[in-house]
Amino acid sequence: MFPIRDHNPSERTPYVVYALIAANVAVYLLQLPYMGSERAMLAFWRDWAMIPAAVTRGGEYHGIFTSMFLHAGFMHLAGNMLFLWIFGDNMEDQMGHLGFLLFYLASGIAAALAHIAAAPVSVVPTVGASGAISGVMGGYLLLFPRARVDVMLILVFIVRIFTVPAYLMLGLWFAMQLLSGASTPADGGGVAYWAHAGGFVAGLVMTLPLWLRRGAEGYWRQNHGRPPHPGIDYPSSNIPIVRRRRR
C-alpha cells in the first residue's frame, strides 16, 4: 500500500519541492556512470554516503548532509520523490520557501543522527532522501490529520485505489517503521527504519510551534483536521477554545 496523491491543494507554488526533486534527480544522473562497476560504486558511497562508523570514529560529518541526495537505484529515487511531491507542497505552503527548506534539511540531519544512534559502529553506507521526507510526513500528520490521501493497494493481480484520512495512512506507515526497526538489526543492510522513525518524530516536533500559532486543537476543530480554506482566520493560541480530540 502506498500513496499516489492527496486532496490538499496548495496556494503557493512549491519552488523548494521542485528544486529538491530536481537536485535529487540531477545527483542520481551523476551517479549513473559509477553504477556499472561495483568497485566504483562502493568507492563513491565511501566518499559521499553516510557511514555511521565514519561519523562516530572518524569524524566524517559531511555524509550526514550529502547522503540526503543520493539513491541506491531508480525505484528508490522514484518512491522518495513521489512522497515528497505528495506531502511537500502543503508543508512548504504553510512554512514558506526558506522555512520549509531549513525544515527539510533539519529533518534529514535528525534522521541520520537517529540511525547513527541505533547503529553507531555500522560500516554500511546509508543513502536516500527518505529521512528528510519522513520529517515532512510527520509535520503533515500534525497539520492535516484528516486530509484525504489516495492509496494504491496491490494484491497479486488485484489493484485497488481508495481514499483514507492522512492520520490512518501516515500512522500505519510510522507503526511499520517502528515494528520493522525493532525486528531488524540496525547495523545490517536494507532499509534504515530508525532513520525514518527519527525523521518523522523530528518533523512532527519541529512543526509544533507552527501548529500552536495556528491555534493548536482549535486549528483542527475549525478545519476538522483537513486543509484550511483560503480566507480562514485561525484562532489565536491564547484564546480559550473548547478542546476535543478529533482522532
Side-chain angles (χ1 to χ4, degrees), residues 10 15 38 127 173 239:
S10 54
Y15 292 115
E38 183 178 355
V127 297
W173 180 89
I239 297 177

Side-chain angles (χ1 to χ4, degrees), residues 31-48:
Q31 289 177 222
L32 289 179
Y34 299 93
M35 290 185 171
S37 166
E38 183 178 355
R39 176 179 292 184
M41 197 71 251
L42 287 174
F44 184 86
W45 291 148
R46 281 197 300 271
D47 288 339
W48 301 109

Side-chain angles (χ1 to χ4, degrees), residues 15-32:
Y15 292 115
V16 173
V17 170
Y18 294 160
L20 289 171
I21 292 174
N24 278 275
V25 171
V27 171
Y28 181 74
L29 294 177
L30 292 175
Q31 289 177 222
L32 289 179

